[in-house]
Amino acid sequence: MKVSADRIADLAARHGEKPGALLPLLHAIQDEMGHIPPSAAGIIAKALNLSSAEVRGVISFYHHFRTEPSSSPRVEICCAESCQSMGSEALLAHARKTCEVHPVYCLGLCAVSPAMMVDGKPHARVTPEKFDSVMKKAAS
Ligand code: FES
């Protein structure tokens, strides 16, 4: 997807009025564009009255954020206690056979462990078979 500086500025202006706007804005940009382009940091910094270094620091701190476009879905599998006790290690090993996986620590879905996110969409009670099904749908 073509990255539009005007669109980033528009999103920044829309989120900039709210307290704690940086994370929701970064999520909005990534949700819409698939990643946060490096050129966005300056636009965001100006809109939120932050330094570009602060914005880049937050983007690099959270592994969820991509700074380059990708053709494959972003897969995050929870490896925190509840999910671990329900088989996330085996799920992680299964998933790594076919795609790049990012371990995360609690998606807030502990009651329906093990949990994962695929391009920001949550999935609960994920078995290896369910993982394969979700990934097949994501590819189509
Ligand atoms: S421990 Fe996995 S979602 Fe909370």
Side-chain angles (χ1 to χ4, degrees):
M1 168 179 282
K2 186 174 182 328
V3 175
S4 161
D6 288 344
R7 183 61 185 145
I8 293 170
D10 181 46
L11 288 168
R14 207 178 313 156
H15 285 78
E17 300 293 320
K18 302 170 191 161
L22 182 55
L23 282 175
L25 172 58
L26 293 174
H27 280 285
I29 292 170
Q30 182 158 296
D31 288 349
E32 184 169 316
M33 300 179 175
H35 73 290
I36 301 167
S39 61
I43 299 166
I44 294 167
K46 187 174 178 184
L48 302 185
N49 199 24
L50 300 168
S51 72
S52 293
E54 287 174 294
V55 175
R56 276 194 231 91
V58 170
I59 293 169
S60 65
F61 179 79
Y62 291 100
H63 298 285
H64 174 77
F65 295 125
R66 290 177 169 169
T67 55
E68 295 178 5
S70 174
S71 58
S72 60
R74 181 174 179 85
V75 178
E76 299 170 321
I77 293 180
C78 178
C79 296
E81 287 81 1
S82 177
C83 289
Q84 204 174 70
S85 72
M86 297 300 285
S88 67
E89 284 184 16
L91 178 62
L92 192 64
H94 175 78
R96 282 185 164 150
K97 291 177 192 168
T98 55
C99 67
E100 182 183 0
V101 180
H102 303 271
V104 294
Y105 297 90
C106 199
L107 295 166
L109 298 167
C110 314
V112 288
S113 297
M116 73 173 184
M117 297 267 269
V118 178
D119 278 343
K121 185 175 179 209
H123 298 273
R125 294 190 176 104
V126 183
T127 61
E129 294 75 25
K130 184 171 180 177
F131 174 85
D132 291 343
S133 173
V134 168
M135 295 310 292
K136 191 174 176 181
K137 285 180 190 159
S140 60

